[in-house]
Amino acid sequence: MSEEMDTQNNSGAATLPHAEHYDPEGIKIGMWLFLITELMTFGGLFILYAMQSYTYRADFLAASGSELSRAMGAFNTVVLLTSSLTMALSINAILQGARKRSMVLLGITIACALIFFGVKYFEWTAKFHHGVYPGSEHWVNELNNGTRTFFTLYFSMTGLHGVHLFIGLCLLIWCLVRIQKGQITPERHMMLENCGLFWHLIDLVWIFLFPLFYLIA
Amino acid sequence: MATTTMTPPGAIPNYLTYQGRFRGILGWLLSVDHKRIGVLYLWSIVIFFLTGVALGVLMRLEMLTPKETIMSATQYNALFTLHGVIMIFLVIIPSIPAVFGNFFLPLQIGARDVFFPRLNLLSWYCFMGGGVVAIVALFTGNGFPDTGWTFYMPYAAETSTNVVLGLTGAFIIGFSSILTGLNFITTVHRMRAPGMTWRRMPLFVWSLYATSWIMLISTPILGITLLLVIVERLTGLPIFDAAQGGDPLLYQHLFWIYSHPAVYIMILPAMGVVSDIVPTFARRNIFGYNFIAASSLAIAGLGSLVWGHHMFTTGISMTSKIVFSFLTFVVAIPSAIKVFNWVATLYKGSIHLEVPLFYVMMFIFLFLIGGLTGVLQASLGADAHVHDTYFVVAHFHYVMFGSTMMAFFAACHYWFPKMFGRMYHRGTALAAALIFFVGFNGLYFTMFILGYIGQSRRYFEYTDTPAFQNLHVMATVGSWILATGVVLMFANLIGSLWFGKRSSANPWEAPTLEWQTASPPPFENFETIPTVTHHAYYFPGNRQA
């Protein structure tokens, strides 16, 4: 069996594999399906939020008003929206063959992500300074159940959002490198396009997080 | 089907002998060929399955006598958790989709591979990676979680066992499920051969398609839920801790929003296998093709809305109980539609009682018992009586083991000659099936009775109710017979890999596309992509609509 097959292998290997199957439409479908899973992931948290904010309505409103800075939240929203715009423009640029422009726009997107992280860092550390973290004296003795739940959700949801933003950031940097190397071209731009979709999803999630945590008061 | 004569038949090496970039074991571990990945899954799942069976037999052994004998309470708890985690996450959920779906979905729709071959390989690594993490959890720290496979809060946050690692394992395995689902949906949408319209697809493909949607939509919810438990354990954020404002009941909701649809991830592909096997051995078109295909989608849809029936005794509101109870009754309808159609297909068929059909008939019998006892538990009053007893355990073993795994066995025997080009020993396969069937009913039907008279699940001894011992002995003896059947079956199959008679390309005279190519299938499946001109179950010469 093996000898016979071995000779066949050699003759077979010459004619195989068949021509590569490239189907941008299908690649995009795959990405959209992945985005559905992301929606469901965040959806689980939004369900938690809906239930708990129903239970602790008053505490949620109070905690949102007293502890979260609307200015910082609004600033971050603008930053993320801008980044989505530059992301879309960057894809547009690569489609037109303007590699340089595409890279600059992608660079701005990455910069926006870093600014967002910077602001978030200040926000989180401010919370920690105020003793808003599990196990602190303030948390154990002074906060009530509703407020603790509000911040539990705040940390979980913005935390998960942050993790996604970080993954998105890494993907964008990778895209940048690949454009630089000429591996993302007007003909083969699906990677950039899909990363763009992912980036818009991150943006979209934030659009919901912002009012739910910052604006309800 | 449509092979050109450019190269002589068999000139393309089959997938087992094809030499890609890598040789030997690497040729398997790094192969992106959907068939090789399917076989990788097959071996991993069989090994996990046999491990799970061994654990189950050990648990039954402990229950042989009323007193503690071979293990302590904690060990028993860890054992049933491990048994559950292995069987659910590493065996039943991936069993049919990951093995036979990977192998046969592209073949059945006339494609060369799945749409994302590299993601496909990644999904196997996620699967194995998760499995390895779970095994690490077993031997490190304070041992494997003793929470049950459901990881209910708040206990999952309090126990000193290795919950974080166990959950991480399950979390990683979830990615494998998601990637497989994503891959299958895209493949079905984009890679069907010319002429393979939606209504010409084999029903196995339809069931995989429906399953993939559940995997895609539900698995992330489990992912985030397990992640939240990990976060709660590591950071102390009181997500589900009632003492600090969290809500443990929300954990159960989130958990079952995934885990009930997961039951349909388990059973739908099994139904697809049955829908493919029945027409082949009745030599006629399936009865009610449209209804079977649509009922798969209906099950996928309705099955996502019934999770509350796991929580009838937790104190959720009467309104939601009634709604969930109603929906649970409703979801029985599409399942029944399938059973009626299978039986109607056999009626006046030209029946060839080969091994796969034999397994399928046992499937139908066991699924009936499993399904009907499920309907009983959908009613609120009856559920209060049997909740958390052996009755529930018996019910879901009838559905998951007696049905899904039975269909898995049927699929093993149906597609074995196609996958490996050899045939197993027919008599041994039939004997194994019979032994399994006797042992299975001895074990689990007894558990129905035990549960009904009051034996609670997850107890490691029953010194207060020594009168139950006779039935416990029966169940334990049943578990030995069952295990014998399983071992005999796999011994027959594995031995036949080397010693089985060579099989022709289409030993069953089956109509679907995978049988129209060589056995084992050549690398990249078809020399020329076939053009499809008939519906899936077309038998030339039959007078058919």
Side-chain angles (χ1 to χ4, degrees):
Chain A
M1 166 177 145
S2 61
E3 276 176 32
E4 182 188 272
M5 285 303 179
D6 276 347
T7 54
Q8 285 177 359
N9 283 347
N10 298 335
S11 65
T15 58
L16 290 167
H18 292 269
E20 193 201 354
H21 179 89
Y22 181 67
D23 175 8
E25 193 70 15
I27 296 173
K28 211 186 235 180
I29 289 178
M31 189 63 201
W32 275 104
L33 293 173
F34 177 71
L35 293 187
I36 292 177
T37 70
E38 289 288 6
L39 279 185
M40 295 306 291
T41 307
F42 281 101
L45 283 168
F46 280 114
I47 290 177
L48 277 184
Y49 182 95
M51 296 301 296
Q52 296 289 37
S53 75
Y54 179 75
T55 314
Y56 300 113
R57 194 69 207 149
D59 295 327
F60 270 45
L61 300 184
S64 167
S66 64
E67 281 289 345
L68 296 182
S69 156
R70 274 192 194 180
M72 280 186 169
F75 177 72
N76 256 352
T77 309
V78 172
V79 166
L80 265 196
L81 281 175
T82 312
S83 78
S84 252
L85 175 69
T86 51
M87 182 74 231
L89 288 176
S90 165
I91 296 169
N92 203 27
I94 205 86
L95 282 176
Q96 292 167 359
R99 210 178 78 174
K100 209 57 185 237
R101 177 150 55 94
S102 171
M103 284 174 63
V104 170
L105 286 161
L106 202 55
I108 299 176
T109 315
I110 291 168
C112 284
L114 292 172
I115 294 173
F116 184 94
F117 270 124
V119 174
K120 267 262 130 336
Y121 171 80
F122 286 118
E123 285 191 283
W124 277 43
T125 43
K127 304 276 171 311
F128 293 154
H129 278 304
H130 296 167
V132 182
Y133 60 90
S136 78
E137 246 174 69
H138 178 60
W139 179 276
V140 175
N141 299 326
E142 290 163 35
L143 296 186
N144 61 16
N145 278 351
T147 316
R148 281 195 285 239
T149 304
F150 180 82
F151 285 110
T152 298
L153 288 171
Y154 171 79
F155 285 128
S156 319
M157 294 175 85
T158 58
L160 187 71
H161 179 257
V163 169
H164 278 82
L165 203 73
F166 180 72
I167 295 169
L169 182 65
C170 297
L171 286 173
L172 292 189
I173 292 172
W174 188 25
C175 279
L176 198 62
V177 172
R178 293 199 58 176
I179 298 177
Q180 164 78 31
K181 285 185 179 166
Q183 288 166 335
I184 295 178
T185 59
E187 294 78 34
R188 291 244 168 177
H189 67 283
M190 284 317 292
M191 176 176 172
L192 188 64
E193 177 116 25
N194 280 346
C195 289
L197 283 173
F198 185 68
W199 196 255
H200 296 319
L201 179 94
I202 297 170
D203 193 10
L204 189 70
V205 170
W206 178 256
I207 298 295
F208 283 89
L209 291 180
F210 174 56
L212 285 179
F213 286 107
Y214 292 83
L215 298 183
I216 53 171
Chain B
M1 189 167 269
T3 44
T4 55
T5 48
M6 297 286 282
T7 35
I12 297 182
N14 70 47
Y15 78 101
L16 293 168
T17 50
Y18 174 75
Q19 195 68 64
R21 204 144 48 107
F22 300 98
R23 288 187 165 272
I25 189 79
L26 279 185
W28 284 86
L29 294 179
L30 297 176
S31 169
V32 293
D33 181 351
H34 68 102
K35 299 182 286 299
R36 286 201 166 193
I37 295 172
V39 174
L40 283 180
Y41 265 116
L42 178 61
W43 279 105
S44 347
I45 285 172
V46 167
I47 291 167
F48 283 128
F49 174 68
L50 294 177
T51 315
V53 169
L55 295 173
V57 169
L58 280 178
M59 275 151 61
R60 277 318 313 166
L61 198 58
E62 168 63 30
M63 298 305 280
L64 189 64
T65 58
K67 285 201 184 71
E68 173 180 335
T69 43
I70 57 167
M71 63 186 84
S72 68
T74 320
Q75 285 167 330
Y76 189 82
N77 291 349
L79 214 61
F80 71 64
T81 307
L82 188 60
H83 172 80
V85 168
I86 288 181
M87 286 306 208
I88 300 277
F89 294 118
L90 291 168
V91 179
I92 306 178
I93 288 180
S95 62
I96 296 174
V99 178
F100 299 106
N102 259 327
F103 201 108
F104 289 107
L105 174 78
L107 278 160
Q108 286 199 326
I109 62 172
R112 296 209 190 281
D113 207 318
V114 290
F115 195 89
F116 300 107
R118 278 185 296 177
L119 275 191
N120 202 14
L121 183 63
L122 178 64
S123 84
W124 183 74
Y125 277 98
C126 287
F127 172 76
M128 290 308 280
V132 167
V133 172
I135 291 167
V136 170
L138 191 58
F139 295 109
T140 54
N142 285 323
F144 201 75
D146 57 350
T147 58
W149 77 277
T150 49
F151 297 102
Y152 267 15
M153 297 294 272
Y155 184 67
E158 289 163 5
T159 172
S160 62
T161 50
N162 239 338
V163 170
V164 170
L165 267 184
L167 290 175
T168 310
F171 181 79
I172 298 171
I173 296 166
F175 277 101
S176 138
S177 205
I178 290 174
L179 292 177
T180 302
L182 187 154
N183 222 333
F184 284 179
I185 295 176
T186 318
T187 307
V188 171
H189 275 281
R190 301 300 297 177
M191 298 189 74
R192 280 170 290 131
M196 178 60 80
T197 57
W198 283 87
R199 288 176 57 194
R200 283 180 186 160
M201 292 195 311
L203 287 163
F204 183 54
V205 175
W206 267 108
S207 72
L208 286 174
Y209 182 73
T211 309
S212 301
W213 274 107
I214 314 180
M215 285 175 164
L216 202 69
I217 290 176
S218 307
T219 316
I221 307 251
L222 178 76
I224 186 65
T225 311
L226 300 185
L227 199 60
L228 287 174
V229 177
I230 295 174
V231 167
E232 175 154 351
R233 271 190 80 99
L234 293 182
T235 68
L237 281 176
I239 301 161
F240 302 115
D241 179 3
Q244 296 189 67
D247 187 349
L249 213 54
L250 282 177
Y251 172 82
Q252 291 192 23
H253 275 293
L254 286 177
F255 182 82
W256 289 113
I257 285 176
Y258 164 77
S259 296
H260 195 79
V263 172
Y264 298 100
I265 295 179
M266 303 172 201
I267 195 68
L268 269 175
M271 292 167 158
V273 168
V274 172
S275 305
D276 263 20
I277 291 180
V278 166
T280 296
F281 295 99
R283 296 287 191 274
R284 58 170 294 206
N285 187 13
I286 188 110
F287 186 88
Y289 174 93
N290 293 339
F291 275 89
I292 297 185
S295 65
S296 290
L297 296 179
I299 289 175
L302 285 168
S304 303
L305 302 172
V306 298
W307 75 85
H309 68 217
H310 293 270
M311 303 168 61
F312 281 162
T313 58
T314 57
I316 57 175
S317 78
M318 192 39 101
T319 317
S320 52
K321 276 198 239 178
I322 290 170
V323 171
F324 279 126
S325 169
F326 173 74
L327 287 170
T328 308
F329 279 114
V330 172
V331 82
I333 295 172
S335 310
I337 285 175
K338 284 177 191 277
V339 175
F340 291 136
N341 281 316
W342 295 326
V343 177
T345 307
L346 289 171
Y347 178 66
K348 284 193 176 169
S350 163
I351 292 182
H352 294 58
L353 191 54
E354 291 292 339
V355 178
L357 186 66
F358 195 70
Y359 277 81
V360 159
M361 304 227 276
M362 296 197 302
F363 164 94
I364 295 177
F365 182 84
L366 297 176
F367 179 65
L368 264 182
I369 298 180
L372 290 174
T373 51
V375 174
L376 182 139
Q377 289 167 82
S379 53
L380 295 172
D383 184 74
H385 179 63
V386 296
H387 185 80
D388 260 351
T389 66
Y390 272 23
F391 192 92
V392 178
V393 178
H395 157 70
F396 69 69
H397 278 89
Y398 263 87
V399 177
M400 294 178 187
F401 194 1
S403 309
T404 303
M405 285 315 281
M406 186 54 98
F408 179 81
F409 301 153
C412 283
H413 288 88
Y414 180 54
W415 280 311
F416 188 88
K418 174 53 66 184
M419 293 174 86
F420 303 108
R422 288 176 187 270
M423 190 59 95
Y424 43 83
H425 187 263
R426 185 173 184 269
T428 315
L430 288 174
L434 266 181
I435 296 171
F436 175 86
F437 188 73
V438 170
F440 184 90
N441 286 300
L443 169 54
Y444 295 112
F445 203 84
T446 315
M447 286 174 86
F448 271 130
I449 302 168
L450 267 172
Y452 197 79
I453 60 177
Q455 174 63 56
S456 290
R457 65 192 288 199
R458 295 181 171 175
Y459 281 22
F460 84 115
E461 41 100 82
Y462 46 103
T463 36
D464 293 338
T465 50
F468 288 174
Q469 194 180 2
N470 286 343
L471 286 170
H472 274 297
V473 170
M474 255 182 87
T476 304
V477 172
S479 76
W480 298 336
I481 302 173
L482 182 153
T484 312
V486 168
V487 169
L488 187 62
M489 180 162 47
F490 281 109
N492 183 29
L493 287 176
I494 293 171
S496 302
L497 287 176
W498 289 277
F499 306 114
K501 272 198 212 132
R502 293 240 174 239
S503 153
S504 63
N506 189 359
W508 313 123
E509 297 170 40
T512 39
L513 219 47
E514 77 270 29
W515 297 101
Q516 316 307 324
T517 187
S519 295
F523 182 73
E524 299 210 320
N525 301 348
F526 303 96
E527 214 157 312
T528 313
I529 294 291
T531 302
V532 182
T533 51
H534 300 293
H535 59 77
Y537 306 108
Y538 176 78
F539 290 91
N542 269 19
R543 205 158 48 81
Q544 290 175 326

